[in-house]
Amino acid sequence: MAERPARKDAQRNRTRLLETAAQVFHDVGADAPLDLIAVRAGVSNATLYRHFPTRRRLLTAVYAQTIDALCAEARTRVEDGDDDALFDWFGVVVDRMQASRGLRETLVAAYALVPDEPTPEVDEWHERIRDTAEPLFTRALQRGRIRPSMPWTEVLALVTAVAGAAGPDRTAAARMLAVVIAGLRAPERAAHRTAPRTSPPEERRSRRTPSGGAAGQGAAGS
């Protein structure tokens, strides 16, 4: 019988630690002292490390729902089939990153082309988001909506860097992302070349209409 209250206490401590850590990471950043989190949560350092042995494990737990949401947003847009869904998803990514300094710093570090401190937990975030959203990138390439000059990993690094550079300033982030998207978009003529051709009957009708109209006018005039 004594084990059940102990489990409840452990779950309560874990929940308190996650809530406190989310606020501290938001206020101070991903490098906030873990001791500060323990103090604000009202638990000992030993309790914190028992639940989260490393900083990255704590970060992963704090932002797990956000990563799930980013992946869900990507999957929804893959299913929708919109040509510009990739650019719309970029806005979602930046908006989510703007919501927390800790998430912003962690994702910018994760998508850096040469990460300073690669870790299995953050690498898992990187792989999940990259793999879930890559079909959006592939479709944009196939339909001529995005320039083919940059690989997917570099595009993600660029988009997350926008949020990192803007910090909490959403207006600045929106302006910078607009410039990045404008640079990534393929010229209109490339999109037209890859767009589905008009079906033969429609094409034939569209060609006959001007000439037929001209012929009719000529006959009426004679």
Side-chain angles (χ1 to χ4, degrees):
M1 296 293 294
E3 292 181 1
R4 188 168 299 171
R7 284 198 297 269
K8 287 184 178 180
D9 287 345
Q11 184 58 49
R12 188 162 48 247
N13 286 339
R14 178 183 172 85
T15 300
R16 189 182 300 128
L17 281 166
L18 287 173
E19 292 172 351
T20 304
Q23 187 60 51
V24 171
F25 288 147
H26 175 71
D27 294 340
V28 183
D31 292 330
L34 298 186
D35 292 354
L36 175 62
I37 294 171
V39 168
R40 289 193 180 180
V43 302
S44 66
N45 286 353
T47 298
L48 185 152
Y49 286 109
R50 185 162 55 249
H51 287 281
F52 306 104
T54 66
R55 175 184 302 276
R56 294 297 177 180
R57 291 278 288 274
L58 179 56
L59 282 165
T60 300
V62 167
Y63 296 121
Q65 289 185 335
T66 301
I67 302 305
D68 289 344
L70 286 175
C71 290
E73 293 276 6
R75 282 192 294 270
T76 297
R77 285 163 176 74
V78 170
E79 294 167 2
D80 287 347
D82 188 276
D83 284 358
D84 285 335
L86 176 67
F87 302 122
D88 183 51
W89 183 75
F90 288 161
V92 174
V93 172
V94 171
D95 184 66
R96 292 277 184 170
M97 292 176 66
Q98 292 297 107
S100 172
R101 176 179 172 181
L103 179 66
R104 193 162 59 242
E105 293 175 353
T106 304
L107 281 183
V108 168
Y111 284 101
L113 298 182
V114 184
D116 292 333
E117 186 185 349
T119 62
E121 295 86 3
V122 177
D123 284 349
E124 192 264 342
W125 287 6
H126 180 101
E127 291 171 9
R128 283 184 60 204
I129 295 174
R130 181 193 63 204
D131 294 347
T132 305
E134 190 168 15
L136 292 173
F137 177 71
T138 301
R139 184 170 67 205
L141 280 176
Q142 292 172 343
R143 297 184 181 179
R145 307 302 297 175
I146 191 169
R147 297 175 185 271
S149 53
M150 290 181 70
W152 178 222
T153 52
E154 291 181 9
V155 171
L156 277 176
L158 182 60
V159 170
T160 54
V162 166
D169 190 334
R170 292 179 181 272
T171 302
R175 284 197 301 263
M176 288 190 280
L177 182 61
V179 171
V180 167
I181 289 176
L184 289 172
R185 282 187 186 276
E188 281 298 314
R189 61 181 180 274
H192 291 325
R193 281 200 301 270
T194 57
R197 286 181 55 81
T198 307
S199 61
E202 292 175 352
E203 194 169 345
R204 285 197 295 270
R205 282 199 300 273
S206 66
R207 288 178 178 176
R208 280 202 304 268
T209 299
S211 58
Q217 291 171 4
S222 63

